[in-house]
Amino acid sequence: MTTALLRTRLTLPEALMAFLHNKDGQAYQSARPDALTAAAELGELALAGHVHLEGDRFSAVSPAPSAPGRAWMAELTAALPPQPVPIRDWIRKRRTALATQQVEALAQGVLTKDRAKLFGVFGYDRHRVDPALRAALLAELDGPAARSVPRAQALARLLTSSALHRHLDLDDTRRHRLEQLAEDRSDTPLPGPLFTAMDVAIASAVAPSVLGE
């Protein structure tokens, strides 16, 4: 099994969208979806070379990378101040992350969108996950090649730290392998600063729900 989706096609937040939505097409609120998506955005910005990580802070790389990327990457980095930004503060202020990445995921075929009614009265947008694509992502995370793909480990950390993996139909063996991928620092080339920054970002996203805030 190759890792084409996580290596070349999808960004980290786009891949997260495949797991952040339930069967009714709504984001799992227990995972604090805006904050968790913002953590994924920061991970992607770092992986793509748009930001420089400094412990619990980050700053824009100048000049910006010339490699093509999503428009939101350039927009976010252009809005950063010249001084390093605290990750926790940025995560909490990034309130449009989910809406932004739902649009991106629609464009990449991760999600489809329609309208539904709550209690037959209140209309809302329903974002459905492509089941075949989600299965392919799970297969990539479960395969041995995932250990050589930083984006795969970052996604595994997002899923396990937020407990989203508990909503997946995984047997104990696959769940254990996913948790190992999320924690293993020895074989996966996830840069040390990114590992630290992702931990800070994920903690900023999920800690309020753990604390009941």
Side-chain angles (χ1 to χ4, degrees):
M1 177 64 64
T2 65
T3 53
L5 287 171
L6 289 170
R7 192 187 297 275
T8 62
R9 177 180 163 189
L10 299 179
T11 66
L12 184 56
E14 288 164 3
L16 177 64
M17 294 300 101
F19 304 101
L20 192 57
H21 294 80
N22 61 27
K23 63 181 180 180
D24 295 324
Q26 296 180 294
Y28 287 106
Q29 293 304 307
S30 61
R32 299 184 67 86
D34 263 319
L36 192 67
T37 303
E41 288 179 331
L42 178 59
E44 185 64 33
L45 288 173
L47 286 168
H50 285 265
V51 298
H52 174 66
L53 302 170
E54 308 168 43
D56 62 353
R57 295 170 180 263
F58 73 102
S59 55
V61 170
S62 181
S66 58
R70 306 288 193 257
W72 63 266
M73 297 182 189
E75 291 171 3
L76 289 185
T77 51
L80 292 174
Q83 68 272 17
V85 177
I87 291 174
R88 294 181 187 275
D89 292 348
W90 187 84
I91 293 291
R92 290 167 182 164
K93 292 177 181 178
R94 178 76 182 126
R95 299 185 183 277
T96 61
L98 177 62
T100 296
Q101 297 307 325
Q102 283 174 329
V103 171
E104 297 292 335
L106 286 167
Q108 296 300 319
V110 177
L111 300 176
T112 59
K113 177 181 173 182
D114 59 18
R115 292 286 291 177
K117 288 188 176 181
L118 184 65
F119 306 123
V121 178
F122 306 104
Y124 69 93
D125 288 336
R126 181 168 55 184
H127 292 86
R128 303 290 193 114
V129 179
D130 179 345
L133 187 142
R134 178 160 58 185
L137 283 171
L138 282 173
E140 292 182 7
L141 290 172
D142 195 46
R147 294 183 178 276
S148 65
V149 182
R151 194 176 284 114
Q153 186 180 35
L155 178 58
R157 291 185 73 75
L158 288 165
L159 296 180
T160 58
S161 297
S162 64
L164 280 173
H165 68 311
R166 297 177 185 172
H167 298 288
L168 305 176
D169 187 19
L170 301 178
D171 59 33
D172 290 342
T173 299
R174 294 189 74 184
R175 185 177 295 110
H176 180 64
R177 281 201 292 262
L178 184 63
E179 292 168 349
Q180 281 187 317
L181 177 63
E183 297 297 332
D184 188 5
R185 299 179 183 225
S186 60
D187 296 330
T188 307
L190 189 64
L194 178 55
F195 210 114
T196 300
M198 286 293 293
D199 283 348
V200 174
I202 293 170
S204 302
V206 304
S209 62
V210 173
L211 297 174
E213 297 181 10

